Amino acid sequence: MTQTSIVLPRLGVNLDHIATLRQLRGTQYPSILEAAQLAQAGGAGQITVHLREDRRHIQDNDVKLLRSHLELLLNLEIAATPEMTRFASKVNPDWVCLVPEKRMEVTTEGGLDVKSNFKRLSLVVKALKANGIQVSLFIEPMIQSVRLSAELGADAVELHTGSYCLATQTGPKGTKRIEPALKKIRVAALEARKLGMGAHAGHGFDYLNVRAVAELEDEMAKPLIAEYNIGHAIVCRAALVGMERAVREMVSALIAP
Ligand code: PXP
C-alpha cells in the first residue's frame, strides 16, 4: 500500500503580547514559558518572539529562558543592528527573522527595504549564518525583494501579509483588494521557492483570513507557505478560551480541508 505524506505548515506562535500583558503592570506573570508550553500542547511548531530595541514587551531574559527550556523551534525577530546581532549570536535561536523597526510604531509596519539596506543586511545575515542560525527576511510580497533576499543568502522570506489581512478586515471597501493581495503573496512565494528559499507568512492573520493563504498552491497542488507566524489573534483568543485551545483552533484553521 502506498502512503502519501501530507506536509503540514508550521505554526509559529508569537508570544509578544503575553509579555505586553506582563509589562503593563510590571508583574512576574503571565509566564512566557508556560504560554509556550501550552502553545506546544495545542500544536505549535515554533515559538516566535520579537525583541524590540525599546524592550516594550519581550525582554532579553525571556529569550534566554525560552532558549534553555523550550523543546520547540525558537524564532527570534530582531532589527538588523549590531547590538541585536550580537545578542542573537549569543542566544543562538533556530531562526532569526530580520524585521524593520521604528520606535513609534504600534507593530511592525511594512517589510524590510532590502535594496536600500543591502550592505547592512548582508553583514548581519553573514554573521548570523556563521553562527549556524537560519535567517529569514520579513519583506513585502514583491519580486524584487524576494530576489534581493536570495542574493543575501537568506534561508527564507517571511512575506508581510498585512495588506491582504487589512483588506479582509475592512468590510466591503476592502473586498476588491483581497484577490490582488493574495496574488502578490502567491507570486512572491513561488519566486522564493524557485530561488531555493522557504516561503513563510505573517502579520495580521485571524482565524478566518488565514484560510485563503493556506489554500495557495503551486503547480503540483502543494501548499506554498511552509510557516505562519501569528500572534495577536491567538493571544486575544487565548484570553477567552486558554492558550492551548486558541492554538489548536489556529492549527485547524490552517489545515482545514
Ligand atoms: N511576523 C512578524 C515578522 C511580525 O513582526 C509580527 C508582529 O510582531 C508577526 C509575524 C505577528 O503578527 P500578528 O501579531 O499580527 O499576528
Side-chain angles (χ1 to χ4, degrees), residues 12-14 16-17 48-50 52 57 75 77-78 97-100 105-110 136-139 158-162 165 169 201-206 228-235 250:
V13 176
N14 181 314
D16 293 353
H17 297 307
T48 296
V49 287
H50 184 176
R52 294 188 74 103
H57 39 53
N75 176 33
E77 295 176 9
I78 52 168
C97 179
L98 296 174
V99 300
E105 68 191 359
V106 175
T107 180
T108 318
E109 291 166 1
S136 67
L137 301 184
F138 189 47
I139 58 167
E158 180 169 328
L159 301 172
H160 193 306
T161 48
C165 291
Q169 291 161 344
H203 212 283
F205 280 123
D206 59 39
Y228 295 80
N229 287 298
I230 308 178
H232 187 258
I234 293 177
V235 172
M250 189 57 86

